[in-house]
Amino acid sequence: MKKPSRAGHLDPAAICRSSNPMAVRELLTKIGDKWSIFVVLSLELLGGRARFPELKRAVPGISQRILSSTLKTLERDGLVVRELFPEVPPRVDYEMTDLGKSLLLPTQGLVDWAKANWEQVRETQFRYDTR
Amino acid sequence: MKKPSRAGHLDPAAICRSSNPMAVRELLTKIGDKWSIFVVLSLELLGGRARFPELKRAVPGISQRILSSTLKTLERDGLVVRELFPEVPPRVDYEMTDLGKSLLLPTQGLVDWAKANWEQVRETQFRYDTR
DNA sequence: CGGTATCCAACAGGATACTG
DNA sequence: CAGTATCCTGTTGGATACCG
């Protein structure tokens, strides 16, 4: 397990040097898309394992096509696993992997930040726009 | 200051309930775009304050137009401040705000995750693609 | 049920040229 | 110097219809 970075002081140089910075951007682009975070969080909310229509209900507003492609990307990345039961009608379970669950933890950091500061961001935007 | 969330167990329900979940997605979409993170990190790397061409040099590959619009968005969000010196030729300084700096901290969590797990993600992708 | 195929609108962002 | 204007392309994602 990786230990959480000690707070206090942050070294942006270390951030930029750490492995390849592209990984960071790719990760952010990936989980920063319109639905991934919600799908991951909803799947965890459903106990870490759920069927397609359960997920669809748990993520209001998502279309079938987007849920499908989002899950495929998550599966490709190893964050969820897909299990097909060859029944009629077919049934598919999606389950969080340990890797997927491990991503929830740092995500929490951003959630906390958004929770703590988003209102201020909105106000700043408003002031900027109404100048 | 917000205290880092205690590890051990994570409550996704809390994540989903925390303020509005839209804030989280908007934040991720924002910093998950192609250049924002690099601009923010580079600005911090340059000591938290820099001029336009310094930033441009510090972020290889970014175009003038994109750097400009990225900075404008960051300014609108209150993550950086823009200071114009009415000289000829004009000169503009960009500086990180405390809010902007505070975002670096949770970002570090994702950086750590990417550093620790990205190779595994790539391998998983490769295996998925070559099936 | 759990998708894929097709079509389309919106937007991000790159190249280039121009301006106060 | 520090942008903006214009043009253009690729990608994201929404709607709908069809398939095994």
Side-chain angles (χ1 to χ4, degrees):
Chain A
M1 281 310 266
K2 109 194 128 46
K3 68 174 189 329
S5 55
R6 200 119 307 283
H9 263 325
L10 193 66
D11 182 5
I15 297 181
C16 285
R17 269 185 268 104
S18 67
S19 60
N20 57 344
M22 286 304 130
V24 179
R25 203 187 69 189
E26 284 179 40
L27 172 65
L28 286 171
T29 300
K30 190 170 289 294
I31 66 172
D33 77 348
K34 195 165 179 184
W35 295 107
S36 294
I37 276 282
F38 283 168
V39 170
V40 167
L41 292 180
S42 298
L43 182 53
E44 187 65 13
L45 255 177
L46 293 170
R49 186 180 183 94
R51 302 182 55 176
F52 192 89
E54 289 178 308
L55 271 170
K56 187 152 175 7
R57 259 178 283 115
V59 187
I62 197 170
S63 73
Q64 197 172 29
R65 190 179 79 85
I66 297 302
L67 177 57
S68 178
S69 69
T70 300
L71 284 168
K72 188 179 289 185
T73 300
L74 293 173
E75 185 198 3
R76 190 174 99 94
D77 294 343
L79 302 180
V80 307
V81 283
R82 179 181 183 271
E83 189 172 4
L84 167 68
F85 301 89
E87 311 165 353
V88 268
R91 170 193 167 176
V92 181
D93 275 15
Y94 290 93
E95 188 170 9
M96 295 283 291
T97 62
D98 289 340
L99 186 63
K101 289 179 186 179
S102 75
L103 183 55
L104 288 172
L105 205 60
T107 301
Q108 179 71 47
L110 285 183
V111 171
D112 290 341
W113 190 92
K115 186 177 181 177
N117 299 295
W118 202 247
E119 199 49 45
Q120 182 181 347
V121 170
R122 292 220 96 91
E123 283 161 19
T124 311
Q125 287 174 353
F126 181 78
R127 254 177 288 124
Y128 184 95
D129 293 341
T130 59
R131 261 180 337 154
Chain B
M1 281 308 267
K2 113 193 124 49
K3 69 172 190 326
S5 55
R6 200 120 309 280
H9 264 325
L10 193 67
D11 183 4
I15 297 181
C16 284
R17 268 186 268 102
S18 68
S19 61
N20 59 342
M22 286 305 130
V24 179
R25 202 187 68 188
E26 283 179 41
L27 171 66
L28 286 171
T29 301
K30 191 170 288 295
I31 67 172
D33 78 346
K34 195 165 179 184
W35 295 107
S36 294
I37 277 284
F38 282 169
V39 170
V40 168
L41 292 181
S42 298
L43 182 53
E44 187 65 12
L45 253 177
L46 293 169
R49 186 180 183 94
R51 301 181 56 176
F52 193 88
E54 290 177 308
L55 271 170
K56 187 151 173 10
R57 260 178 282 116
V59 187
I62 197 170
S63 74
Q64 197 170 29
R65 191 179 77 87
I66 297 302
L67 178 56
S68 178
S69 69
T70 300
L71 285 168
K72 188 179 289 185
T73 300
L74 293 173
E75 185 197 4
R76 191 174 98 96
D77 294 342
L79 303 181
V80 307
V81 283
R82 178 180 185 273
E83 190 173 2
L84 168 68
F85 302 89
E87 312 165 352
V88 268
R91 168 193 168 177
V92 181
D93 274 14
Y94 289 93
E95 188 169 10
M96 295 283 291
T97 62
D98 289 340
L99 186 63
K101 290 179 185 178
S102 75
L103 184 55
L104 288 172
L105 204 60
T107 301
Q108 179 70 48
L110 285 183
V111 171
D112 289 342
W113 191 93
K115 187 178 182 178
N117 299 295
W118 202 247
E119 200 48 45
Q120 182 181 347
V121 170
R122 292 219 95 91
E123 282 160 19
T124 311
Q125 287 174 354
F126 182 78
R127 256 177 286 124
Y128 184 94
D129 293 341
T130 58
R131 265 180 334 155

